[in-house]
Amino acid sequence: MAVKIRLSRKGSKKQPYYRVVVADERSSRDGKFIEVVGIYNPMVEPNEIILKKEKIDEWIGKGAILSTTVKSLYKKQGVSA
């Protein structure tokens, strides 16, 4: 089972916010996930990015792969992935 750390879309039409989740790569974008490890809200200025770095590092240590979007959010927080 390959595990990815990716975004899951929430919110209403034209008002999205995202959860950063750990999920099996075979599950749908907004489907089942293992754990929520952060929040990303692009609708506020400046963009709200809250990441649980310890949990993300723990999952990376277990072999989870960051999606390209989550990787860029992670870098914006000042952490290299």
Side-chain angles (χ1 to χ4, degrees), residues 41-48:
N41 187 354
M43 299 306 291
V44 297
E45 193 59 45
N47 295 343
E48 179 183 14

Side-chain angles (χ1 to χ4, degrees), residues 56-70:
I56 293 172
D57 290 336
E58 182 181 320
W59 279 104
I60 290 172
K62 292 178 182 178
I65 301 166
L66 294 172
S67 70
T68 55
T69 308
V70 173

Side-chain angles (χ1 to χ4, degrees), residues 3-39:
V3 177
K4 284 198 164 194
I5 300 174
R6 62 184 183 195
L7 297 178
S8 174
R9 188 180 195 275
K10 295 292 174 190
S12 60
K13 187 169 154 182
K14 299 192 181 191
Q15 293 293 318
Y17 70 92
Y18 300 89
R19 290 183 191 168
V20 181
V21 298
V22 178
D24 181 5
E25 71 178 355
R26 295 172 292 179
S27 65
S28 65
R29 178 191 71 182
D30 300 332
K32 265 177 106 170
F33 58 86
I34 301 167
E35 183 176 6
V36 177
V37 292
I39 298 171

